């Protein structure tokens, strides 16, 4: 395999995309993890709910058109039809502007009914309004990005995305901390304003991004001012062509956003129904059944605390704020659960061209090898992440929220989501394999089936007073487990020379399960040892009982993760999880194989 071939290999592209994705996700983690510490669960619930409605409008507005625009511009540019290129951009820009304006009006003028009815959280209204400029500006950004990508210029997109994320981090965190320093009263109002400040950083980033892209677009246009001699198509014909390309992509991409929005409405609504029933029945901690992870007793305690707070702070609405608190804890877990999924994005982006090229050469063996290697590498990343979250859900949430969230509630949520994250990753890779083989519609159907199951499970379980918020991650687990299994079955039934699932999943699964057990046992051992040391223990003032402190948990968690990494890496080598053929798809793969003594 020549040096040039290595540069163009499948996993060479994965490695480059992985680095850029990791950089952006690190900025996101630096933003969301400290945010989970400084924001109360209730305020974080407002933040998460508003972000979900923003994502919905953004997906509807920008999922398909940028792809259609870049494709149409690229085709016209290749044919030397430069007047057509400019006409396509103008038509697309006004289409983006129209959809952005519609979304902006929905999130600003109609923010109150959107928060009250769509999100079932009327206190999220200011967060929704704070995000309204972002959806308008991002629509405009998408037009400029699609135009640049149609000219094979990815630099403006990369720079603008870094600007957006950096602004979200710097401006959002600075505003949240500044508002927090004002100690606004009542306390619930101050917490809500901190969430508004944090989320307004997204809007500031989108404003800076659209300014940069606009200036860059004008500068690029001046480099080739014309005049051009070709005759552009009519605006109507261009718009029809763009919509024909964009609408199927939008429908496909919006499925997840629609399910998430319905999920937000259902979870908040069902939680409020349960708390209202507890309030109406006059239940106490002693009379309420224990429920899953003692959630029944905890729910009564949360409600009683909010009732007491409402006596002095009239802005507190006991039922609503109790639901906001549980939903906020769930949202904090979701920000961690999304990390394994983000690692799959570069992998899935590189599967389609690699498999498609092999199919075009009628090389079924190569297509099978790439698909099988992709599934195995995905499993190597996703399974240990998921098992680690499952085994260490509670200590991780205690560590990453700084004790600001009840880790006895949030920990089991993250553990369940850890299992779900594994199926999310497998489902994404399987979808890309199907798309690379020309099977485009069925993956959409499987996601819809999973989404319907998720809605049914959430409605049923979250409304159960003995399960409540734990129904939400169970619904997510059911959704993606079903979608992943269905996608894998379709691959077996419809794809020629389908990959072997035993070879792809068995050894990574064995290594991940053993690693999870080792991490769990290591944490337990370290916690028992450290809880007996005064430097790592806290003493209850009322009872005098000693238990593990936050510092003790941090040290125990770090030790458990370290043991898990060592055990997993050793098992990957011992079980020969990675084959020489896998490594040959990577740059310098032959040297890595010799270094690891893989034959």
């Amino acid at each position: 395999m020549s040096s040039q071939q290595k540069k163009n290999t499948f996993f060479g592209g994965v490695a480059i995309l992985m680095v850029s994705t990791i950089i952006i996700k690190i900025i996101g983690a630096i933003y969301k993890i400290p945010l989970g510490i400084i924001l109360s669960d209730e305020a974080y619930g407002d933040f998460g709910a508003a972000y979900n409605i923003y994502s919905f409008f953004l997906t509807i507005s920008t999922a398909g058109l940028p792809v259609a625009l870049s494709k149409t511009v690229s085709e016209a540019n290749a044919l030397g039809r430069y007047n057509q290129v400019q006409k396509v951009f103008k038509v697309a820009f006004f289409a983006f502007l129209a959809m952005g304006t519609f979304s902006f009006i929905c999130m600003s003028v109609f923010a109150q009914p959107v928060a009250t009815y769509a999100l079932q959280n009327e206190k999220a209204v200011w967060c929704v309004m704070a995000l309204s400029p972002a959806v308008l500006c991002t629509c405009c950004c998408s037009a400029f990005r699609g135009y640049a990508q149609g000219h094979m210029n990815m630099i403006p997109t990369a720079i603008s995305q870094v600007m957006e994320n950096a602004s979200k981090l710097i401006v959002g965190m600075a505003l949240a901390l500044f508002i927090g320093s004002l100690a606004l009263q009542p306390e619930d109002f101050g917490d809500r304003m901190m969430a508004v400040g944090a989320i307004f950083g997204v809007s500031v980033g989108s404003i800076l991004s659209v300014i940069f892209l606009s200036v860059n677009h004008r500068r690029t246009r001046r480099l080739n001012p014309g005049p051009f001699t070709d005759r552009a198509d009519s605006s109507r014909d261009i718009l029809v062509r763009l919509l024909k390309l964009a609408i199927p992509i939008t429908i496909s991409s919006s499925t997840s956003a629609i399910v998430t929005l319905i999920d937000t409405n259902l979870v908040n609504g069902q939680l409020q129904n349960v708390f209202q029933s507890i309030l109406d029945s006059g239940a106490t901690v002693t009379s309420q059944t224990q429920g899953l992870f003692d959630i029944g007793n905890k729910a009564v305690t949360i409600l009683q605390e909010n009732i007491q707070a409402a006596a002095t702070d009239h802005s507190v609405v006991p039922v609503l704020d109790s639901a906001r608190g549980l939903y906020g804890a769930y949202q904090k877990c979701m920000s961690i659960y999304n990390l394994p999924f983000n690692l799959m994005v570069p992998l899935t982006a590189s599967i389609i061209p690699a498999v498609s090229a092999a199919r075009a050469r009628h090389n079924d063996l190569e297509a099978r090898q790439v698909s099988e290697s992709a599934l195995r590498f995905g499993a190597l990343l996703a399974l240990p992440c998921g098992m680690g979250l499952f085994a260490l859900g509670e200590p991780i949430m205690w560590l990453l929220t700084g004790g600001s969230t009840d880790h006895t509630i949030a920990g089991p949520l993250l553990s369940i989501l850890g299992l779900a994250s594994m199926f999310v990753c497998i489902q994404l890779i399987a979808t890309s394999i199907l798309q690379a083989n020309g099977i485009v519609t069925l993956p959409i159907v499987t996601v819809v089936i999973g989404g319907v199951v998720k809605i049914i499970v959430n409605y049923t379980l979250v409304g159960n007073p003995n399960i409540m918020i734990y129904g939400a991650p169970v619904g997510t687990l059911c959704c993606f487990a079903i979608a992943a299994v269905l996608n894998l079955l379709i691959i077996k039934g419809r794809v020629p020379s389908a990959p072997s699932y035993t070879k792809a999943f068995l050894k990574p699964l064995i290594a991940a399960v053993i690693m999870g057990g080792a991490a769990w046992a290591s944490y337990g051992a370290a916690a028992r040892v450290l809880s007996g040391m005064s430097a790592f223990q806290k003493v209850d003032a009322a009872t005098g009982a000693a238990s593990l402190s936050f510092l003790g948990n941090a040290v125990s968690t770090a030790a458990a993760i370290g043991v898990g990494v060592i055990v997993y890496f050793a098992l990957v080598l011992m079980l020969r999880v990675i084959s020489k053929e896998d490594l040959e798809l990577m740059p310098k793969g032959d040297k890595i194989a010799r270094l690891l003594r893989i034959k």
Side-chain angles (χ1 to χ4, degrees):
M1 186 178 280
S2 68
S3 174
Q4 184 61 35
Q5 285 176 317
K6 289 181 180 179
K7 290 180 182 178
N8 294 322
T9 54
F10 170 52
F11 284 103
V14 172
I16 295 170
L17 290 171
M18 185 75 78
V19 170
S20 62
T21 300
I22 287 174
I23 291 172
I24 293 175
K25 297 310 173 184
I26 285 175
I27 295 176
I30 294 173
Y31 172 63
K32 282 197 172 182
I33 291 175
L35 204 62
I37 297 175
I38 66 174
L39 290 183
S40 67
D41 291 348
E42 292 82 1
Y44 202 92
D46 299 343
F47 178 96
Y51 212 93
N52 287 340
I53 194 71
Y54 163 73
S55 298
F56 168 75
F57 280 117
L58 199 62
T59 302
I60 296 298
S61 302
T62 65
L65 263 180
V67 178
L69 173 59
S70 63
K71 183 178 186 298
T72 308
V73 166
S74 178
E75 291 172 350
N77 203 43
L79 295 173
R81 300 186 63 192
Y82 301 116
N83 282 327
Q84 174 77 353
V85 168
Q86 304 309 322
K87 187 75 170 287
V88 167
F89 172 75
K90 289 179 182 178
V91 172
F93 182 83
F94 282 109
F96 275 114
L97 187 62
M99 290 186 294
T101 302
F102 170 77
S103 300
F104 171 77
I105 292 172
C106 289
M107 292 183 65
S108 56
V109 178
F110 300 106
Q112 188 65 65
V114 165
T116 303
Y117 300 109
L119 303 178
Q120 290 288 310
N121 181 2
E122 61 192 49
K123 289 191 174 183
V125 59
W126 290 331
C127 285
V128 173
M129 293 180 69
L131 270 176
S132 59
V135 72
L136 174 59
C137 293
T138 304
C139 283
C140 296
C141 287
S142 296
F144 293 123
R145 289 168 180 164
Y147 179 84
Q149 289 167 7
H151 287 83
M152 303 303 293
N153 182 7
M154 307 301 173
I155 295 176
T157 297
I159 294 175
S160 63
Q161 288 177 338
V162 170
M163 289 176 65
E164 286 181 6
N165 283 274
S167 173
K168 179 172 67 175
L169 171 62
I170 297 170
V171 177
M173 286 297 296
L175 283 175
L177 290 171
F178 172 73
I179 294 171
S181 69
L182 300 177
L184 299 175
Q185 295 298 322
E187 185 178 351
D188 178 64
F189 172 75
D191 289 343
R192 292 165 66 192
M193 289 299 100
M194 287 180 67
V196 170
I199 212 164
F200 189 66
V202 178
S203 290
V204 173
S206 67
I207 293 170
L208 295 176
S209 181
V210 77
I211 292 172
F212 164 76
L213 288 169
S214 176
V215 171
N216 177 79
H217 179 75
R218 291 181 181 179
R219 184 170 60 246
T220 303
R221 285 280 305 277
R222 284 199 294 268
L223 296 176
N224 193 12
F228 308 116
T229 58
D230 64 292
R231 183 177 179 179
D233 298 337
S234 68
S235 298
R236 181 181 179 279
D237 290 343
I238 292 173
L239 181 61
V240 169
R241 188 179 302 120
L242 288 172
L243 292 179
K244 282 183 178 179
L245 290 169
I247 288 175
I249 299 173
T250 300
I251 293 173
S252 173
S253 301
S254 62
T255 302
S256 178
I258 292 171
V259 169
T260 299
L261 184 59
I262 295 173
D263 183 54
T264 301
N265 180 288
L266 277 180
V267 172
N268 276 313
Q270 290 295 80
L271 286 175
Q272 290 176 52
N273 290 339
V274 174
F275 279 113
Q276 186 64 53
S277 67
I278 296 174
L279 182 64
D280 293 341
S281 65
T284 63
V285 174
T286 55
S287 67
Q288 183 74 11
T289 56
Q290 182 179 5
L292 187 65
F293 301 111
D294 198 29
I295 191 61
N297 289 336
K298 291 172 182 175
V300 173
T301 301
I302 292 170
L303 182 60
Q304 289 176 339
E305 290 173 351
N306 279 308
I307 291 172
Q308 293 172 2
T312 55
D313 182 356
H314 298 300
S315 67
V316 174
V317 181
V319 169
L320 173 60
D321 290 332
S322 297
R324 287 171 65 218
L326 288 183
Y327 182 74
Y330 174 59
Q331 284 296 305
K332 288 181 180 181
C333 295
M334 288 293 290
S335 64
I336 301 167
Y337 147 83
N338 283 325
L339 292 177
F341 155 78
N342 292 325
L343 294 176
M344 295 299 109
V345 174
L347 186 62
T348 56
S350 298
I351 289 172
I352 295 176
V355 175
S356 298
R359 292 296 183 201
R361 294 191 295 269
H362 302 288
N363 192 336
D364 289 347
L365 181 62
E366 181 185 346
R368 173 179 176 170
Q369 182 185 348
V370 172
S371 300
E372 195 172 286
S373 295
L375 286 170
R376 184 158 45 248
F377 269 86
L380 278 169
L381 291 172
L383 297 185
C385 289
M387 289 304 302
L389 294 178
F390 174 73
L392 301 174
E394 190 168 324
I396 287 174
M397 286 308 298
W398 189 3
L399 175 65
L400 295 184
T401 60
S404 64
T405 297
D406 186 343
H407 56 274
T408 64
I409 293 177
L413 291 172
L414 184 60
S415 292
I416 301 170
L417 286 172
L419 296 178
S421 70
M422 298 188 293
F423 289 103
V424 173
C425 296
I426 293 170
Q427 179 261 336
L428 285 171
I429 297 171
T431 295
S432 295
I433 292 172
L434 288 171
Q435 291 172 341
N437 285 276
I439 304 171
V440 179
T441 304
L442 289 179
I444 301 174
V445 175
T446 62
V447 172
V448 170
I449 293 172
V452 171
V453 171
K454 175 182 173 68
I455 291 169
I456 294 171
V457 170
N458 281 1
Y459 181 82
T460 304
L461 297 186
V462 177
N464 187 321
N466 295 323
I467 300 176
M468 294 185 71
I469 192 61
Y470 295 112
V474 171
T476 300
L477 173 59
C478 292
C479 169
F480 289 105
I482 289 172
V485 170
L486 288 176
N487 280 354
L488 293 175
L489 290 175
I490 294 170
I491 290 174
K492 273 296 182 186
R494 298 285 298 273
V495 174
S497 301
S500 169
Y501 297 149
T502 301
K503 292 181 180 179
F505 296 128
L506 182 59
K507 289 181 179 180
L509 180 61
I510 292 172
V513 170
I514 296 174
M515 179 223 71
W520 176 81
S522 299
Y523 177 84
R528 282 192 296 272
V529 172
L530 295 179
S531 61
M533 301 180 182
S534 58
F536 300 103
Q537 66 179 206
K538 61 180 179 180
V539 179
D540 189 286
T543 63
S547 59
L548 192 67
S549 66
F550 176 80
L551 178 60
N553 173 72
V555 174
S556 300
T557 304
I561 292 173
V563 169
V565 170
I566 293 171
V567 169
Y568 187 69
F569 185 72
L571 286 170
V572 167
L573 295 179
M574 289 173 56
L575 296 173
R576 300 293 181 183
V577 176
I578 303 177
S579 67
K580 185 179 179 182
E581 289 75 18
D582 292 335
L583 292 173
E584 285 178 348
L585 292 169
M586 300 176 62
K588 309 292 183 183
D590 51 346
K591 293 183 179 179
I592 296 174
R594 287 197 299 270
L595 179 64
L596 299 178
R597 298 181 181 179
I598 296 175
K599 299 179 180 179

